[in-house]
Each structure stands twice: as structure tokens, then as C-alpha cells.
Amino acid sequence: MSMPPPVIVWFRNDLRLDDNPALHNAAESGRPVIPVFLWTPDSEGRWKPGGATRWWLHHALKSLSGQLESLGSKLILRAGNSEADLLKNLMAQTGADLVLWNRRYDPYGVQTDTRLKKDLPAKSFRGNVLFEPHQIANQSGDYYKVFTPFYKAMLAQGDFSEPVDTPKSLPAPSAWPESLSLDELNLLPDIHWDQGFYDTWDPGSDGCREQVETFLDEAAGVYKDKRDYPGIRGTSRLSPYLCFGQISTRRLWHQAQEAAERGAKRGGIEAWTRQLVWRDFATHLLFHQPQLDWEPMQEKFKDFPWEKNDKLLNAWRRGQTGYPIVDAGMRELWTTGWMHNRVRMIVASFLVKDLLIHWREGALWFWDTLVDADLANNSFGWQWAGGCGADAAPYFRIFNPVLQSKKFDADGAYIRRWVPELRELDTKDLHAPWEMDTPPKNYPAPIVNHPQARDRALEALSSLKDSN
Ligand SMILES: Cc1cc2nc3c(=O)[nH]c(=O)nc-3n(C[C@H](O)[C@H](O)[C@H](O)COP(=O)(O)OP(=O)(O)OC[C@H]3O[C@@H](n4cnc5c(N)ncnc54)[C@H](O)[C@@H]3O)c2cc1C
């Protein structure tokens, strides 16, 4: 009896076997399955994968390959400029007559996939969100621009469908097509700047599983009380795994409910699963407003008098602003590829309001340095900080970096960890060392005076109102 033609499963931002509807569907079909990942960094417009993303991707692919091999399968790697050409080629070489994938919602992904569907026999699934952007609409059928009603509408849907399990086996094709080796994708840096990444992360599926278990068993119940303090481990740090789809939000949603049933505090669990919905909300907004990655959502900000100043921008990037909480955050980012959410808000506000530098510059730097760089979450976070987004912090509410520092890093544990020059200071001096009689010589003086910078930002804002 001849074998039925194989089916291709195209992995993208869903590098997992568990709760992967495209893979599950392929396995159920009983046909040989060819898993493939395509490396096409030039096809994503201005948002080419950054250095930190490439690092994580290397390890995520390695882990995925290993998992597929344990099911008697294999991950085929191909690289080029056009997904269509690469897929057609693979179909011709293997006789496959169908490509399966889980849908993406960013503008580049949507454009590519829409084109491909006209060109190839393909079938797509919901695998990367709790609900898809078109599934949640307000009473007039429009999309939501404010979080709370979006959240309520999602909860009201009620149907958080069950995750699908890892396939028990994946039938192999009669012969495997050619594949590049992982090293040939050249994802790891030539210069060895990534030691801090290795020290911080276990980027494979074992690391992911361990982090989920530790968080849900030990920290999720008290998330609400601990999430804002960067000096402690109060959040899940699952963002990079979510970003690469090494775990599905749907699986996490259900696991969190189970943790509550085992006794974790409901309030904590709800506060945390609400964050998962913020992720869906950002995806929802970028899908419906595909220019969100570059243009302010609020029209009037198009005329904002941003300043161009490379010296100040570089001081911010390198964590040399003279504001300890800002510098701690920027150095944490540089060293580990991640930054605590509270500190992301502080450093973003500092760039946009104290330095009056365009939020896009911040978004671009984060894009290159974050291991969880995600176009929807990043654009949304920056528009929020810039005061020009949907449901954003109003522009006139300007974070005071010293007060934020005293409030959220009161004992200075976070600053001491990331700004070693200040480690020996008394806690009372740590948040504003320039106020000491003899400030430490090896730490920069503040690059701007916050009260003056604040006035300048408010003035820039009022110019905007005047011109409208
Ligand atoms: C300026 C700025 C830029 C940001 N850029 C990114 C980015 O590129 N990628 C990214 O994943 N997050 C981004 N965030 C959101 C948030 O800071 C991170 O998701 C969070 O710090 C990740 O840590 P965690 O996994 O411990 O989160 P937890 O607190 O444990 O939350 C669980 C998950 O919920 C999601 N989530 C949490 N907060 C948000 C939020 N505000 N918006 C959307 N999803 C959220 C994330 O997937 C996160 O992993 C940004 C925030 C700001 C202010």
C-alpha cells in the first residue's frame, strides 16, 4: 500500500509540541508529518529579529528539535528570503500537498500568510492567543481600545477551550528532505556578549516547565502584592517563553486555574491571568491598528516636538543617566535581555518625558535587546509610556524616578544588584546620590535635572494642545 502524501507543519512563534493545534491536527491526520522552521529575517520589514531574539531562538529551536526527535520526527531548517519559495520547494521535494500553521496577528505575519493562502494549499489554526482579535468585539461590532471592557468581554465569552496534548507519535516521511544545521542559521553572536543570558536563563522546554511550576506553586498566589518590586522575584518571567510560543497562554490559563484549586490565593491568580489578557489585548490592538508599531495612536502626537540627541540616548541605552533606578533597569536589560515591568515603565517614561526622545527610539532599542521582544507588547508598552497610545497613561502624569525608586526599591536591593558603583552607599543615599555631600566619583551626575525636565515636557505637551 502506498503512503499518503505528507503534510508540512510550519513552526513560527509556536515552538512547542504541547497545545499546538497545527501539529495536533497533522498528527491526527495519520499522514507523515514534516515539521519545518523557515529563517527569513529579511522578510519582516523594519522589525528584523534583534540580537537577543536570535540568541533565544537558537536555543528554542535546539530544544524543539530534540523534542521532535524523541517522537521519531525531526525539525527541518531552511533559510531564504521568501517563505512562499521555501515552502513550495519543500512541497515539491517531499510530495507534501498541505501546509499547516498557527495564525499570527502582526501586520507582517498577516500580510505574508494572507498571500500564502492564495498561493498554497494551507490550513491555519488558533494557537497563540486566548481569543483571536476578531473574536472580541464591542456592541457596535468594533474592536476595543480600552482594556477593562475588553477584559470583561473576554471573560463573558467563557469558552476558554481546552488545550490539546502533545501528540504521542509523529509518523515520519519515507525519506527526510535536506535540512540546514542549526549552526548554519548563524543565530548566536560572533562577539561573546551573552554570558549574562546563559547565567539567567534556561531557554529550552525544561527551563520553561520548571519556571511555570515554580511560579504557579510558589509565587502566583501572592503575585498581586509582589509584582511591582523589581528587587524580588515576584513575577513569572515567562515572557520570552510566551513570545516564542514555547508554552501556550491557553495552557497557562488552565494551569493557573488548577493552581487556585490546589490552594493558591484566587486574588493572586486572577491578577496574574489578567496580565495574560493584556497580552491578548496588545495583539488585538496591533491587529486592528497595524500602524501602531510606528505611528502614535492619538493623532495629535504626530506634531510632538521630539528632540534628537544621540548623547543622551546613548547614556540611556548604556545605563549611564545618573538616575540609579533607570541605570539599574537598562543594565539589567543589557546583561540579561529582560527587565522588570515596573522598571520598563520607569525607564520608558524617563526617555520620553525627561529626555523628550521619541518613544520609537526606545522601542527599537528594546527590540534589539529584549529576549521577549514582541511587536504587539512592545509597541503597546511604548505608546502607553509615551502617553499617545490607547488606554495610555496621560502624558502629563510624569514618573518621578526618585520617588518611584524609593517606593518600589525601598531597600535598594535592585539598584545594588545592577549598579555596583553604588553598592556600599547607605540606603537613604542610594536613590539620589547627587544629593550627598561627596557623591561617588565613579558614577555619573544626573544627565538632566528631573524637576526642570518635567516642566519642559509639560511645556512641550501644551504646545501640542495649542497647535490643535
Ligand atoms: C515600554 C514597555 C515595553 C514592553 N515590551 C514588551 C515586549 O517586547 N514583550 C513583552 O512580552 N512584554 C513587553 N512589555 C510588557 C511587560 O513589561 C512584560 O510582558 C513583563 O515584564 C514580562 O515579565 P513576566 O513574564 O515576569 O510577566 P508577568 O507579570 O508574570 O505576566 C505574565 C505574562 O503576561 C504578559 N504581560 C504582562 N504584562 C503585560 C503588558 N503590560 N502588556 C502585554 N502583556 C503583558 C506577558 O506575556 C507576561 O509574560 C513591555 C512593557 C513596557 C512598559
Side-chain angles (χ1 to χ4, degrees):
M1 211 172 67
S2 68
M3 248 190 183
V7 22
I8 291 172
V9 175
W10 177 19
F11 283 90
R12 296 109 63 95
N13 53 350
D14 47 9
L15 305 180
R16 63 175 181 274
L17 305 189
D18 174 61
D19 194 27
N20 184 326
L23 183 71
H24 183 79
N25 202 275
E28 296 275 288
S29 75
R31 293 162 54 171
V33 179
I34 302 180
V36 63
F37 178 82
L38 308 178
W39 176 237
T40 53
D42 294 323
S43 69
E44 292 177 38
R46 66 170 70 94
W47 299 107
K48 291 188 205 328
T53 293
R54 294 166 66 115
W55 183 89
W56 194 286
L57 179 62
H58 175 95
H59 297 286
L61 289 174
K62 189 167 170 185
S63 166
L64 179 66
S65 272
Q67 295 167 66
L68 284 166
E69 278 163 28
S70 70
L71 291 184
S73 186
K74 196 176 160 167
L75 183 63
I76 300 299
L77 301 173
R78 297 272 170 110
N81 290 324
S82 147
E83 283 101 341
D85 291 350
L86 292 168
L87 288 171
K88 280 185 195 159
N89 229 317
L90 188 60
M91 292 174 80
Q93 287 164 0
T94 58
D97 62 356
L98 182 64
V99 185
L100 306 183
W101 65 67
N102 297 309
R103 286 187 281 278
R104 6 177 221 193
Y105 310 96
D106 61 284
Y108 308 103
V110 170
Q111 266 171 31
T112 308
D113 294 352
T114 311
R115 230 180 308 130
L116 282 170
K117 275 207 168 164
K118 294 194 181 119
D119 217 17
L120 295 170
K123 210 168 149 197
S124 68
F125 301 85
R126 162 177 72 155
N128 298 322
V129 284
L130 292 167
F131 289 91
E132 297 193 279
H134 62 265
Q135 287 181 295
I136 311 275
N138 65 22
Q139 289 186 337
S140 33
D142 205 358
Y143 67 96
Y144 283 100
K145 296 170 195 78
V146 179
F147 177 75
T148 304
F150 174 85
Y151 181 53
K152 287 191 179 146
M154 183 180 281
L155 291 182
Q157 287 246 4
D159 171 29
F160 285 74
S161 53
E162 288 295 323
V164 293
D165 288 334
T166 302
K168 299 225 164 19
S169 69
L170 287 174
S174 53
W176 282 104
E178 262 177 45
S179 170
L180 294 171
S181 72
L182 182 56
D183 288 339
E184 281 173 300
L185 299 189
N186 227 339
L187 298 171
L188 293 179
D190 296 330
I191 309 168
H192 191 53
W193 49 252
D194 49 355
Q195 189 52 47
F197 284 35
Y198 286 104
D199 296 342
T200 311
W201 302 102
D202 175 355
S205 64
D206 291 344
C208 178
R209 194 174 324 110
E210 227 168 81
Q211 220 157 289
V212 171
E213 281 169 14
T214 318
F215 177 73
L216 289 178
D217 288 347
E218 293 168 16
V222 289
Y223 176 77
K224 208 166 150 187
D225 310 319
K226 305 242 162 119
R227 56 175 292 203
D228 264 320
Y229 301 96
I232 54 177
R233 234 185 132 102
T235 70
S236 72
R237 302 169 71 102
L238 284 170
S239 49
Y241 301 104
L242 276 163
C243 180
F244 288 86
Q246 291 165 288
I247 181 139
S248 80
T249 26
R250 182 164 65 170
R251 175 65 77 193
L252 280 175
W253 180 277
H254 284 276
Q255 285 182 333
Q257 309 310 328
E258 285 157 23
E261 279 152 28
R262 284 197 305 273
K265 275 196 212 149
R266 275 272 168 213
I269 295 288
E270 266 170 34
W272 187 67
T273 49
R274 197 167 191 270
Q275 294 310 115
L276 297 178
V277 179
W278 273 102
R279 180 179 173 275
D280 263 33
F281 182 54
T283 302
H284 177 86
L285 281 178
L286 181 63
F287 177 81
H288 290 290
Q289 292 219 1
Q291 73 292 359
L292 189 80
D293 63 333
W294 208 246
E295 298 300 336
M297 282 185 72
Q298 293 179 35
E299 269 296 301
K300 68 173 183 192
F301 276 87
K302 286 206 164 122
D303 300 328
F304 194 84
W306 300 111
E307 302 219 338
K308 241 192 113 34
N309 186 326
D310 285 346
K311 199 164 154 235
L312 294 181
L313 176 59
N314 278 329
W316 178 81
R317 285 177 177 155
R318 302 287 163 202
Q320 298 287 345
T321 67
Y323 283 88
I325 191 75
V326 174
D327 293 343
M330 297 310 290
R331 296 183 196 185
E332 178 182 32
L333 173 62
W334 182 251
T335 309
T336 70
W338 187 86
M339 194 197 299
H340 188 278
N341 180 59
R342 167 59 49 183
V343 193
R344 289 188 205 205
M345 296 195 290
I346 298 171
V347 303
S349 171
F350 188 81
L351 181 77
V352 171
K353 298 183 182 171
D354 286 67
L355 304 184
L356 281 191
I357 292 178
H358 203 301
W359 55 268
R360 258 184 226 149
E361 292 291 348
L364 285 164
W365 182 251
F366 270 31
W367 186 256
D368 198 29
T369 52
L370 276 174
V371 286
D372 64 24
D374 171 273
L375 196 59
N377 287 0
N378 197 40
S379 310
F380 179 76
W382 277 100
Q383 294 240 9
W384 183 89
C388 53
D391 205 0
Y395 187 88
F396 58 80
R397 263 188 38 204
I398 295 176
F399 277 31
N400 177 323
V402 177
L403 295 183
Q404 289 284 317
S405 182
K406 286 183 177 163
K407 185 164 178 196
F408 295 109
D409 191 30
D411 64 359
Y414 182 71
I415 292 176
R416 285 200 175 85
R417 171 141 193 235
W418 294 109
V419 190
E421 307 96 288
L422 304 179
R423 211 164 266 164
E424 305 302 327
L425 297 196
D426 277 355
T427 304
K428 68 175 175 25
D429 296 323
L430 203 56
H431 307 284
W434 61 88
E435 288 175 354
M436 295 169 72
D437 291 339
T438 6
K441 289 206 173 47
N442 56 352
Y443 183 69
I447 55 170
V448 287
N449 170 307
H450 175 72
Q452 287 169 8
R454 181 175 186 281
D455 290 346
R456 199 172 58 132
L458 290 174
E459 211 173 295
L461 179 71
S462 63
S463 78
L464 201 68
K465 277 196 201 125
D466 293 341
S467 67
N468 275 273

